[in-house]
Amino acid sequence: MLGVEHLIRIGGISKAALLEELERSGISINPLAHTLFADDRFEIEKEVEDIRCVALSVAELGLAQGGTWPLIVQHATALGLSLCPMETGPHLRLRWREQAEGAIGQSATRGKAPFGSLTVASAALCDDPSVPKGFYLRRIEGVLWLRGYQSDDEHVWSADACLLFQTAAQLAGLGGECFAAEHAKGV
């Protein structure tokens, strides 16, 4: 997944139907993700659209010591990347079933992206840090999760945090270690 461009199909389904499909597919959803789905500002495209995305670590964006959200977005923009639509997370979770385990044998994390997780870089619904900022994908003890998260612009993301961005052009020379390409089958 990391450093390799992938097409992700979004849109063409209501939020209620998307949530139902996640639940029918056995995807676990945390309360913050449910909060995002319940927010009227989270909208789904009416028409089906294929977007091009790439996953990169914060270090691969040029921030070897990590960085705040505004700095991450600035570096991503300089590389020709943009934020994904909020709905990218749920659509990707439905299609990406081969995510590597992120919990077994790993210590618990607090205030940092969990091991093996993929955060979908998207615009926040508002500036209030108590409102979930977006989605991340994770496999915990074999269970696939779509999780919402809270953060503010002062939080420093670690260099190894993996983020999914939208791209409009082929990205030559960007490789990575977050996810192996074979895990992205069916995306």
Side-chain angles (χ1 to χ4, degrees):
M1 184 79 178
L2 185 74
V4 177
E5 238 180 26
H6 294 279
L7 286 178
I8 300 171
R9 181 158 286 169
I10 64 169
I13 186 173
S14 71
K15 270 198 311 188
L18 181 57
L19 186 57
E20 184 178 301
E21 180 69 22
L22 287 161
E23 291 172 351
R24 187 174 40 250
S25 296
I27 305 298
S28 293
I29 302 170
N30 76 346
L32 293 175
H34 278 290
T35 298
L36 284 169
F37 268 94
D39 195 308
D40 290 337
R41 294 169 290 193
F42 170 32
E43 297 178 351
I44 303 287
E45 291 293 324
K46 290 183 185 348
E47 300 297 321
V48 173
E49 178 184 355
D50 289 330
I51 61 171
R52 296 163 70 165
C53 294
V54 64
L56 298 169
S57 70
V58 171
E60 289 170 316
L61 292 170
L63 298 165
Q65 303 304 312
T68 62
W69 187 252
L71 192 56
I72 288 168
V73 172
Q74 178 184 351
H75 278 245
T77 301
L79 291 172
L81 303 172
S82 60
L83 298 176
C84 297
M86 181 75 69
E87 70 178 283
T88 306
H91 285 287
L92 178 58
R93 177 72 296 164
L94 282 169
R95 290 163 184 81
W96 186 33
R97 311 290 288 186
E98 302 302 320
Q99 185 173 11
E101 177 62 46
I104 297 174
Q106 302 297 322
S107 57
T109 58
R110 184 125 181 108
K112 121 177 214 179
F115 177 81
S117 67
L118 176 64
T119 301
V120 177
S122 58
L125 298 175
C126 66
D127 291 333
D128 182 349
S130 69
V131 174
K133 189 169 194 112
F135 293 108
Y136 71 96
L137 286 62
R138 189 162 181 220
R139 178 184 290 266
I140 302 172
E141 297 180 2
V143 177
L144 294 174
W145 281 85
L146 175 68
R147 300 175 67 89
Y149 71 95
Q150 291 173 308
S151 183
D152 62 28
D153 284 350
E154 301 303 313
H155 172 74
V156 177
W157 292 70
S158 65
D160 62 351
C162 295
L163 303 166
L164 185 77
F165 287 93
Q166 187 173 350
T167 180
Q170 189 71 16
L171 295 176
L174 288 178
E177 298 176 9
C178 284
F179 300 92
E182 66 268 17
H183 290 163
K185 290 179 185 168
V187 173

